Amino acid sequence: MEITLPVLIVGSVGLFFGIGLAIASKKLHVFTDPRISEILNILPNANCGACGYPGCSGFAKAVVEGKAEPTGCIPGGSKVANAIADILGVTTLLNEPMMAVVHCKGGKNEALEYSDYDGITDCNAAVLIGNGPKICQSGCLGLGTCVNACPFNAIFINNNGIAEVDPKKCTGCGKCVKACPRNIISLIPKVHKIFVACSNHDRGAKVKKYCSVGCTACTLCVKATPSGAISMENNLPVLDYSREENFITAAYKCPSNCFSDLVKFRPKANIDTKCDGCGECVAVCPVKDAIEGEKGTRHVIKKDRCIGCGICLNSCHVHAISLWGAGSVKS
Amino acid sequence: MESFASLIGISVSAIFISNFVLSRFLGLCPFLGVSKKISSAVGMGMAVIFVMVIASGFTWIINRFVLLRFDVEFLRTIVFILVIAALVQLVEMALQKYSPALYEALGIFLPLITTNCAVLGVALINTEINPITGLQFTFFETIVNGTMSGVGFMLALVLMAGLREKLELSNTPEILEGLPISFITAGLMALAFLGFAGLNFFA
């Protein structure tokens, strides 16, 4: 039989190496903590390196050895942190899901440049030459250093030449925050959709000369937020996201339109038949002429004027106002 | 002296004249995949040299004492794949146990090249007639050929990584950015290496 010999030879070579490998795996077995592979299974395995360790396996090892915190995996968020804590038998604090935002929206149409830049398409390189082409020293250069740094393809340069973050793709790993030579990217809690899209610390009159959407430090946003969640620091408003505040009024009041809102359509307020026409809502509404009605009759909200800030909800003593629309909020 | 000259001939031939990547077009996958950074290209190159040497030696023994003896040379490819795959596994385990430092350095690359065509290629080329001596490769010549083929692979990989690091910063037309310009570069490099083809300093 001609086939017997080849089959025998390949079979015996295979058997020889199979047995050899089996023996070797026993003899050369290296003890590894089973928790390491368990944790590795939970991790996102994107190997983004945001934890500071080389890849997910490095992080898993460090966590088991106690060198890293269970909350160290930023893309994994609280879900992964809790799962790791379960395996290790420790409790961990919930960390809020974060996302990156670019604090600038002065693109080609809004911000002036004093030169054309035609060098390496990298913000670090541009900054080396006269601190970049923009007159604003804290404006986004739009050359895509953050785009390259993002392991999740969540950042892109928009038509206006400004880096923009896709909130759906962003995991809040913070790599772009470190990559930006201008330091104008920061992480905000994902539940908040409003942020100040300006990082300029110059005084108002100076900013006005070179950027039409720059913060002039007029402090109108601070005045529009009675809860005190906005404070001025170095000619720039600082939003305190830990407070109960939606910042919608502040964004509306800003005369330079510096605030960016990631929500396109805010729910609008609606007054139902319980309204007795007391006029309280008209008094508190930050928008002029958004609520109409004679005293004593049912008031009507003009939908094209309403910004959906929800201030009127609490002012109504008969609870006649509610917010309608995407993700509507009941009074 | 004869054998020494033959070893030099084998080395030059393996590194330049029939460079594994740029003349034989084997192992193109890691050539484009792991050539973004010089540091990882060096790591990959070292791992390839390591595996090529071990695979050359082992497959020579198998070829001489099993395949030729039983007159079943047609099984060469399948048996070599089996041997190389098992061997790399074994080496990986041994490294993890006895030399964790080397394992950390080569660790990621070793499984990648287990079934690489360049490694199988060197094993198969070793079974051919040595063009310099006109005889079968001896065991020592096999080892030298394996090492130098690996060195040639590493040379191509490191050159490519150096070029790509520079390319990253240059102003490439948008349509060619990334892999397309790398392919063009690889093609030009292969053309340049074609210049070695006529080299024959034993004539």
Side-chain angles (χ1 to χ4, degrees), chain A residues 225-239:
Chain A
T225 316
S227 65
I230 302 186
S231 56
M232 289 306 277
E233 264 173 43
N234 208 352
N235 289 331
L236 209 60
V238 177
L239 310 192

PDB file of all heavy atoms in Angstrom, chain A residues 225-239:
ATOM      1  N   THR A 225     -26.926  82.076  35.841  1.00  0.00           N
ATOM      2  CA  THR A 225     -26.930  80.807  36.568  1.00  0.00           C
ATOM      3  C   THR A 225     -26.957  81.073  38.064  1.00  0.00           C
ATOM      4  O   THR A 225     -25.921  81.160  38.715  1.00  0.00           O
ATOM      5  CB  THR A 225     -25.672  79.988  36.207  1.00  0.00           C
ATOM      6  OG1 THR A 225     -25.477  80.064  34.809  1.00  0.00           O
ATOM      7  CG2 THR A 225     -25.805  78.551  36.635  1.00  0.00           C
ATOM      8  N   PRO A 226     -28.166  81.258  38.607  1.00  0.00           N
ATOM      9  CA  PRO A 226     -28.251  81.611  40.027  1.00  0.00           C
ATOM     10  C   PRO A 226     -27.743  80.512  40.952  1.00  0.00           C
ATOM     11  O   PRO A 226     -27.398  80.779  42.107  1.00  0.00           O
ATOM     12  CB  PRO A 226     -29.747  81.865  40.246  1.00  0.00           C
ATOM     13  CG  PRO A 226     -30.443  81.349  39.046  1.00  0.00           C
ATOM     14  CD  PRO A 226     -29.459  81.191  37.945  1.00  0.00           C
ATOM     15  N   SER A 227     -27.667  79.288  40.468  1.00  0.00           N
ATOM     16  CA  SER A 227     -27.195  78.210  41.338  1.00  0.00           C
ATOM     17  C   SER A 227     -25.705  78.357  41.666  1.00  0.00           C
ATOM     18  O   SER A 227     -25.186  77.670  42.540  1.00  0.00           O
ATOM     19  CB  SER A 227     -27.424  76.859  40.653  1.00  0.00           C
ATOM     20  OG  SER A 227     -26.626  76.763  39.500  1.00  0.00           O
ATOM     21  N   GLY A 228     -25.014  79.242  40.949  1.00  0.00           N
ATOM     22  CA  GLY A 228     -23.590  79.456  41.243  1.00  0.00           C
ATOM     23  C   GLY A 228     -22.680  78.392  40.670  1.00  0.00           C
ATOM     24  O   GLY A 228     -21.529  78.249  41.093  1.00  0.00           O
ATOM     25  N   ALA A 229     -23.178  77.616  39.688  1.00  0.00           N
ATOM     26  CA  ALA A 229     -22.360  76.544  39.125  1.00  0.00           C
ATOM     27  C   ALA A 229     -21.326  77.069  38.134  1.00  0.00           C
ATOM     28  O   ALA A 229     -20.460  76.329  37.695  1.00  0.00           O
ATOM     29  CB  ALA A 229     -23.240  75.502  38.446  1.00  0.00           C
ATOM     30  N   ILE A 230     -21.444  78.351  37.757  1.00  0.00           N
ATOM     31  CA  ILE A 230     -20.440  78.923  36.862  1.00  0.00           C
ATOM     32  C   ILE A 230     -19.666  79.994  37.611  1.00  0.00           C
ATOM     33  O   ILE A 230     -20.262  80.835  38.292  1.00  0.00           O
ATOM     34  CB  ILE A 230     -21.096  79.550  35.601  1.00  0.00           C
ATOM     35  CG1 ILE A 230     -21.919  78.510  34.848  1.00  0.00           C
ATOM     36  CG2 ILE A 230     -20.030  80.142  34.678  1.00  0.00           C
ATOM     37  CD1 ILE A 230     -22.479  78.992  33.536  1.00  0.00           C
ATOM     38  N   SER A 231     -18.368  79.932  37.529  1.00  0.00           N
ATOM     39  CA  SER A 231     -17.553  80.972  38.133  1.00  0.00           C
ATOM     40  C   SER A 231     -16.541  81.452  37.100  1.00  0.00           C
ATOM     41  O   SER A 231     -16.181  80.714  36.191  1.00  0.00           O
ATOM     42  CB  SER A 231     -16.843  80.429  39.371  1.00  0.00           C
ATOM     43  OG  SER A 231     -16.090  79.288  39.008  1.00  0.00           O
ATOM     44  N   MET A 232     -16.108  82.696  37.227  1.00  0.00           N
ATOM     45  CA  MET A 232     -15.119  83.210  36.289  1.00  0.00           C
ATOM     46  C   MET A 232     -13.735  82.974  36.851  1.00  0.00           C
ATOM     47  O   MET A 232     -13.441  83.294  37.997  1.00  0.00           O
ATOM     48  CB  MET A 232     -15.319  84.723  36.082  1.00  0.00           C
ATOM     49  CG  MET A 232     -16.548  85.091  35.288  1.00  0.00           C
ATOM     50  SD  MET A 232     -16.692  84.292  33.709  1.00  0.00           S
ATOM     51  CE  MET A 232     -15.679  85.329  32.680  1.00  0.00           C
ATOM     52  N   GLU A 233     -12.893  82.380  36.034  1.00  0.00           N
ATOM     53  CA  GLU A 233     -11.509  82.198  36.449  1.00  0.00           C
ATOM     54  C   GLU A 233     -10.629  82.658  35.312  1.00  0.00           C
ATOM     55  O   GLU A 233     -10.699  82.100  34.214  1.00  0.00           O
ATOM     56  CB  GLU A 233     -11.227  80.717  36.756  1.00  0.00           C
ATOM     57  CG  GLU A 233     -11.341  80.394  38.240  1.00  0.00           C
ATOM     58  CD  GLU A 233     -11.223  78.914  38.496  1.00  0.00           C
ATOM     59  OE1 GLU A 233     -10.352  78.277  37.880  1.00  0.00           O
ATOM     60  OE2 GLU A 233     -12.021  78.401  39.305  1.00  0.00           O
ATOM     61  N   ASN A 234      -9.828  83.640  35.525  1.00  0.00           N
ATOM     62  CA  ASN A 234      -8.874  84.090  34.518  1.00  0.00           C
ATOM     63  C   ASN A 234      -9.568  84.427  33.188  1.00  0.00           C
ATOM     64  O   ASN A 234      -9.180  83.931  32.133  1.00  0.00           O
ATOM     65  CB  ASN A 234      -7.817  82.990  34.326  1.00  0.00           C
ATOM     66  CG  ASN A 234      -6.488  83.562  33.882  1.00  0.00           C
ATOM     67  OD1 ASN A 234      -6.407  84.751  33.570  1.00  0.00           O
ATOM     68  ND2 ASN A 234      -5.477  82.727  33.843  1.00  0.00           N
ATOM     69  N   ASN A 235     -10.635  85.231  33.286  1.00  0.00           N
ATOM     70  CA  ASN A 235     -11.373  85.684  32.102  1.00  0.00           C
ATOM     71  C   ASN A 235     -12.088  84.579  31.338  1.00  0.00           C
ATOM     72  O   ASN A 235     -12.343  84.703  30.142  1.00  0.00           O
ATOM     73  CB  ASN A 235     -10.459  86.435  31.125  1.00  0.00           C
ATOM     74  CG  ASN A 235     -10.052  87.786  31.669  1.00  0.00           C
ATOM     75  OD1 ASN A 235     -10.802  88.384  32.443  1.00  0.00           O
ATOM     76  ND2 ASN A 235      -8.879  88.238  31.291  1.00  0.00           N
ATOM     77  N   LEU A 236     -12.374  83.470  31.992  1.00  0.00           N
ATOM     78  CA  LEU A 236     -13.067  82.382  31.306  1.00  0.00           C
ATOM     79  C   LEU A 236     -14.027  81.714  32.293  1.00  0.00           C
ATOM     80  O   LEU A 236     -13.661  81.482  33.438  1.00  0.00           O
ATOM     81  CB  LEU A 236     -12.037  81.355  30.819  1.00  0.00           C
ATOM     82  CG  LEU A 236     -12.383  80.541  29.572  1.00  0.00           C
ATOM     83  CD1 LEU A 236     -12.599  81.439  28.369  1.00  0.00           C
ATOM     84  CD2 LEU A 236     -11.269  79.557  29.279  1.00  0.00           C
ATOM     85  N   PRO A 237     -15.288  81.441  31.870  1.00  0.00           N
ATOM     86  CA  PRO A 237     -16.192  80.773  32.797  1.00  0.00           C
ATOM     87  C   PRO A 237     -15.777  79.319  33.023  1.00  0.00           C
ATOM     88  O   PRO A 237     -15.332  78.644  32.096  1.00  0.00           O
ATOM     89  CB  PRO A 237     -17.547  80.858  32.087  1.00  0.00           C
ATOM     90  CG  PRO A 237     -17.239  81.069  30.671  1.00  0.00           C
ATOM     91  CD  PRO A 237     -15.915  81.767  30.596  1.00  0.00           C
ATOM     92  N   VAL A 238     -15.921  78.875  34.262  1.00  0.00           N
ATOM     93  CA  VAL A 238     -15.628  77.480  34.595  1.00  0.00           C
ATOM     94  C   VAL A 238     -16.930  76.836  35.044  1.00  0.00           C
ATOM     95  O   VAL A 238     -17.593  77.340  35.955  1.00  0.00           O
ATOM     96  CB  VAL A 238     -14.569  77.395  35.717  1.00  0.00           C
ATOM     97  CG1 VAL A 238     -14.336  75.942  36.093  1.00  0.00           C
ATOM     98  CG2 VAL A 238     -13.284  78.049  35.276  1.00  0.00           C
ATOM     99  N   LEU A 239     -17.349  75.782  34.376  1.00  0.00           N
ATOM    100  CA  LEU A 239     -18.605  75.119  34.707  1.00  0.00           C
ATOM    101  C   LEU A 239     -18.341  74.026  35.739  1.00  0.00           C
ATOM    102  O   LEU A 239     -17.455  73.198  35.555  1.00  0.00           O
ATOM    103  CB  LEU A 239     -19.243  74.491  33.464  1.00  0.00           C
ATOM    104  CG  LEU A 239     -19.402  75.362  32.219  1.00  0.00           C
ATOM    105  CD1 LEU A 239     -20.296  74.662  31.214  1.00  0.00           C
ATOM    106  CD2 LEU A 239     -19.959  76.721  32.544  1.00  0.00           C
TER     107      LEU A 239
END
